[in-house]
Amino acid sequence: MGYTISQVAKKFDLTAHTIRYYDKEGLLPFVDRSKTGNREFTDDDLDWIKLICCLKNTGMPIKQIKQYIEWCLLGDKTLEIRRQMFIDHRKEVLKQMEDLKENLKTIDHKLKCYAKSCNISPNTRQVHSL
Amino acid sequence: MGYTISQVAKKFDLTAHTIRYYDKEGLLPFVDRSKTGNREFTDDDLDWIKLICCLKNTGMPIKQIKQYIEWCLLGDKTLEIRRQMFIDHRKEVLKQMEDLKENLKTIDHKLKCYAKSCNISPNTRQVHSL
DNA sequence: ATAAACCTTAGAGTCTACTCTAAGTCAAGC
DNA sequence: GCTTGACTTAGAGTAGACTCTAAGGTTTAT
C-alpha cells in the first residue's frame, strides 16, 4: 500500500509543500510513484525521512543532506566518507549541547535576578540597569 | 574609554555589520556615541550583548529580543512579564536539549551501523538500502 | 455527472538574518 | 597635506528554507 504525501507530512509534522520541496532538492530520490503519478511512501522511505529530519533538526543544511543521499546512491565505495560525515556531525551536535548548557546557565542566572526583583516590595525595587 | 564596534565584534565572534544591524533593529538602544558619532561600548553594554547573543543562540527571533529590550526600557512595571518570558524561553531551551539528545541517539545508531559496514571484508559487505 | 478532496507541476513570493556596497567623515602617522 | 584605516549611513543584495499560487489531473461519494 504505502502512505500518501499528506499522511507522511502529518507523521513528521511537516507540510506536503515541504516534502515536495525536499524532493525537488534531491533529498527523496528513492520515493516511488503510483500509476497516476502520486508519490507513494513505503515504511523504508519513512526511515529515510526520519534520518533526514534528524540531520535537518541538528542544523545540517539541505545541501549537505543531499550530498549524503547522493553518497548513499553510489553504494559501498562511499561507506567510509559517509561514516566520517556522521563522526563530524556528531561532534557538532555535542558542541550544540554544550552551548545550550552554557546558555541555560545564563538564563537561570537571569531568572534568579528576576525572582528577586519580582518578590521584593514595589517601593524598594532596584532600578534595573539599561 | 570603552570599546569600538570592531573590538566588540571580535569579542563576540560577530561582524561590525551584524552589530550595526542589531542596532538598527532596536536591540542596542543603550549604546552611546563619541563626539564624532562613533559607537562607544561600555562593559555594561557588553553584558547586554552577551545576553542578546544567549537569546539569539537559543533560537529567539530578533523581534522577540527587541520586545524584551523594549520591556526593559519601560522599567519595573514590566518585571513580571520579562520574568515570564525567561520562564517560557527556559522551557524551550530544555525542549531543544531533549530533542538534541534524541537526535544524538539516532546518529549514534547510524554510526554503529557504519562501524559494522566499514569493518567487514569488502566482498561480504551488505548493500545498503536506498 | 458533478462536486469534494485528494494529488501533480512550475514557478513566484516570503521571511529571517544577515552581508555587502557606496559614499562619506574623522584622527593619526609620515 | 595626504594617505591609511578606523568609523558612519542608507539601502540594496543574498542565502536558506520554506510557503504559496495557479492550473490541472484523478478518485470517491451523492
Side-chain angles (χ1 to χ4, degrees), chain A residues 53-88:
Chain A
C53 286
C54 165
L55 295 174
K56 188 204 61 167
N57 291 334
T58 47
M60 187 180 287
I62 300 287
K63 275 187 190 173
Q64 201 183 333
I65 300 175
K66 182 192 170 162
Q67 172 69 273
Y68 169 71
I69 299 289
E70 278 168 2
W71 282 332
C72 290
L73 291 167
L74 291 176
D76 282 1
K77 64 184 167 194
T78 62
L79 275 175
E80 194 54 60
I81 197 169
R82 282 185 265 155
R83 184 167 150 266
Q84 191 56 52
M85 191 205 76
F86 275 104
I87 289 170
D88 294 345

Side-chain angles (χ1 to χ4, degrees), chain A residues 14-97:
Chain A
L14 303 168
T15 68
H17 283 307
T18 301
I19 293 175
R20 285 190 206 102
Y21 163 70
Y22 287 168
D23 196 3
K24 196 155 47 171
E25 293 300 308
L27 266 46
L28 311 172
F30 43 81
V31 176
D32 274 344
R33 302 298 183 113
S34 69
K35 306 134 241 162
T36 58
N38 290 13
R39 289 173 189 81
E40 262 187 348
F41 297 80
T42 66
D43 283 307
D44 271 2
D45 293 347
L46 298 195
D47 287 343
W48 278 101
I49 294 172
K50 194 195 161 194
L51 181 61
I52 288 167
C53 286
C54 165
L55 295 174
K56 188 204 61 167
N57 291 334
T58 47
M60 187 180 287
I62 300 287
K63 275 187 190 173
Q64 201 183 333
I65 300 175
K66 182 192 170 162
Q67 172 69 273
Y68 169 71
I69 299 289
E70 278 168 2
W71 282 332
C72 290
L73 291 167
L74 291 176
D76 282 1
K77 64 184 167 194
T78 62
L79 275 175
E80 194 54 60
I81 197 169
R82 282 185 265 155
R83 184 167 150 266
Q84 191 56 52
M85 191 205 76
F86 275 104
I87 289 170
D88 294 345
H89 190 59
R90 183 177 196 278
K91 250 182 223 163
E92 284 183 21
V93 172
L94 290 180
K95 173 77 166 60
Q96 286 176 42
M97 290 174 89

Side-chain angles (χ1 to χ4, degrees), chain A residues 29-30 44 48 50-51 53-55 57-58 68-69 72-73 76-80 82-84 86-87 89-90 93-94 96-97 99-104 106-108 110-111 114-115 117-118 122 125-130, chain B residues 29-30 44 48 50-51 53-55 57-58 68-69 72-73 76-80 82-84 86-87 89-90 93-94 96-97 99-104 106-108 110-111 114-115 117-118 122 125-130:
Chain A
F30 43 81
D44 271 2
W48 278 101
K50 194 195 161 194
L51 181 61
C53 286
C54 165
L55 295 174
N57 291 334
T58 47
Y68 169 71
I69 299 289
C72 290
L73 291 167
D76 282 1
K77 64 184 167 194
T78 62
L79 275 175
E80 194 54 60
R82 282 185 265 155
R83 184 167 150 266
Q84 191 56 52
F86 275 104
I87 289 170
H89 190 59
R90 183 177 196 278
V93 172
L94 290 180
Q96 286 176 42
M97 290 174 89
D99 289 351
L100 272 187
K101 257 188 219 170
E102 270 312 300
N103 285 323
L104 188 63
T106 303
I107 290 165
D108 281 340
K110 210 68 195 164
L111 268 172
Y114 276 111
S117 301
C118 290
R125 273 185 190 157
Q126 303 112 313
V127 172
H128 257 39
S129 66
L130 170 136
Chain B
F30 43 83
D44 271 1
W48 277 101
K50 194 196 160 193
L51 181 61
C53 288
C54 164
L55 295 174
N57 292 334
T58 48
Y68 169 71
I69 299 289
C72 289
L73 291 167
D76 282 1
K77 62 184 167 193
T78 63
L79 275 176
E80 194 54 59
R82 282 186 266 156
R83 184 168 149 267
Q84 191 57 51
F86 275 103
I87 289 169
H89 190 60
R90 185 178 194 278
V93 173
L94 290 181
Q96 287 177 42
M97 290 173 88
D99 290 350
L100 271 188
K101 258 187 218 168
E102 270 311 301
N103 285 323
L104 189 62
T106 302
I107 290 166
D108 281 340
K110 209 67 194 162
L111 268 173
Y114 276 110
S117 302
C118 291
R125 271 184 192 159
Q126 303 112 314
V127 173
H128 256 42
S129 65
L130 178 146

Side-chain angles (χ1 to χ4, degrees), chain B residues 4 6 20 24 33 38-39:
Chain B
T4 67
S6 52
R20 285 191 205 102
K24 196 155 47 171
R33 303 296 183 114
N38 291 11
R39 288 173 188 81

